[in-house]
Amino acid sequence: MRIDILTIFPDMFSGFLSDSIVKRAQEKGKAEIVLHNIRDFSTDKFKRVDDYSYGHGAGMVMKAEPVARWIEHLQSERDYDEIIFMSPDGKVFQQNIANHLSTMENIILLCGHYKGVDERIREKYITMELSIGDYVLSGGELAAAVVTDAIVRLLPGVLGNESSALTDSFQNGLLSAPVYTRPYEWRGMKVPDILLSGNEKLIDEWNAEQALRRTRERRPDLLD
Ligand code: SAH
């Protein structure tokens, strides 16, 4: 899968792309994540990508032309399944959307900054708008990183069996059961004996019960 990220701050992604699972996914050739600096397509001699907003006025707005040029340039090279704008007024990003996006071939993530991007970009090119939650960030970069991570770890062959995404929270509509590792006894606290019983059926039942209990206690809304 290929993810093209349009941003005015590509350096914000460097640590995120070069560590952990996202790094491994790229090394294994499962994910190609390409950063593009919107400023490269600025038409302004000072390379400006923002301008004053019309109307009520407080704050700067990202100009349409450099973003449009990038999108059209990328579209001339390949077809995109979705062109996604990161935005607090978008649909709230959830596991089912990550699952869906992980089946795509090519997507674009557009990161806003300042007050956002000129509305006409959204009207003309954007096919999906995603928010990572009800709060406002300074830019779409962290949001795009969140979405990228959530998608990439689902691509077949990225996670080993030992950390299969299928047993994570939300995949079956529930939170995940608690997890333990060695030592069996740590500072007087023991691992539930059933997990050492070797009886797979009982262990599965315990996990299912715990997941349900946890969900009922912490996120009853998921059970509705
Ligand atoms: N004026 C906008 C907020 C702009 S914040 C409003 O009130 O809705 C600047 C940029 O940060 C946005 O264009 C968006 O790309 C990004 N951003 C901020 N909060 C976000 C969130 N919760 N989810 C996704 N992107 C967000």
Side-chain angles (χ1 to χ4, degrees):
M1 174 181 191
R2 177 174 166 130
I3 303 177
D4 288 279
I5 301 178
L6 296 180
T7 168
I8 53 177
F9 293 112
D11 290 347
M12 284 183 73
F13 291 89
S14 51
F16 159 71
L17 290 177
S18 56
D19 263 316
S20 184
I21 289 176
V22 175
K23 174 187 179 192
R24 206 199 307 170
Q26 294 173 96
E27 283 173 354
K28 285 182 170 176
K30 307 289 178 192
E32 189 181 357
I33 302 165
V34 191
L35 297 170
H36 306 285
N37 192 336
I38 295 171
R39 218 173 282 282
D40 293 347
F41 271 165
S42 169
T43 50
D44 183 290
K45 68 175 169 187
F46 302 109
K47 296 276 176 207
R48 288 199 70 138
V49 285
D50 59 317
D51 207 336
Y52 294 99
S53 69
Y54 276 112
H56 55 84
M60 306 301 282
V61 175
M62 279 169 63
K63 291 155 74 71
E65 188 61 21
V67 175
R69 288 187 181 199
W70 258 123
I71 293 174
E72 285 170 4
H73 171 69
L74 291 171
Q75 282 177 321
S76 74
E77 293 183 329
R78 68 192 66 73
D79 289 333
Y80 284 91
D81 302 298
E82 298 285 358
I83 301 179
I84 303 170
F85 179 48
M86 305 313 306
S87 189
D89 61 8
K91 192 172 165 124
V92 178
F93 184 59
Q94 291 189 323
Q95 189 63 47
N96 62 337
I97 303 177
N99 294 350
H100 172 66
L101 292 176
S102 74
T103 66
M104 319 252 102
E105 297 256 310
N106 302 305
I107 63 171
I108 293 177
L109 300 180
L110 170 62
C111 306
H113 234 90
Y114 316 115
K115 293 301 278 182
V117 71
D118 189 304
E119 186 67 19
R120 291 166 289 186
I121 288 292
R122 300 171 73 169
E123 281 171 23
K124 191 166 162 65
Y125 301 100
I126 299 299
T127 60
M128 180 186 281
E129 301 191 318
L130 292 178
S131 162
I132 61 161
D134 290 349
Y135 40 81
V136 175
L137 303 164
S138 317
E141 286 73 16
L142 291 173
V146 166
V147 168
T148 300
D149 186 290
I151 295 172
V152 163
R153 66 196 298 284
L154 296 172
L155 298 174
V158 169
L159 292 185
N161 231 352
E162 74 284 359
S163 49
S164 162
L166 292 177
T167 54
D168 284 329
S169 291
F170 309 112
Q171 284 299 9
N172 60 359
L174 299 176
L175 300 180
S176 174
V179 292
Y180 300 87
T181 185
R182 284 179 285 192
Y184 166 68
E185 185 170 344
W186 175 77
R187 301 196 180 185
M189 300 162 81
K190 290 179 182 158
V191 174
D193 282 323
I194 198 148
L195 296 179
L196 286 88
S197 68
N199 184 328
E200 264 182 50
K201 186 165 166 279
L202 286 181
I203 293 175
D204 285 348
E205 277 170 19
W206 182 88
N207 276 321
E209 260 166 45
Q210 294 292 319
L212 194 59
R213 200 178 94 195
R214 209 153 249 213
T215 310
R216 208 180 286 123
E217 281 168 10
R218 300 181 184 199
R219 291 293 303 278
D221 56 297
L222 293 177
L223 298 172
D224 291 345

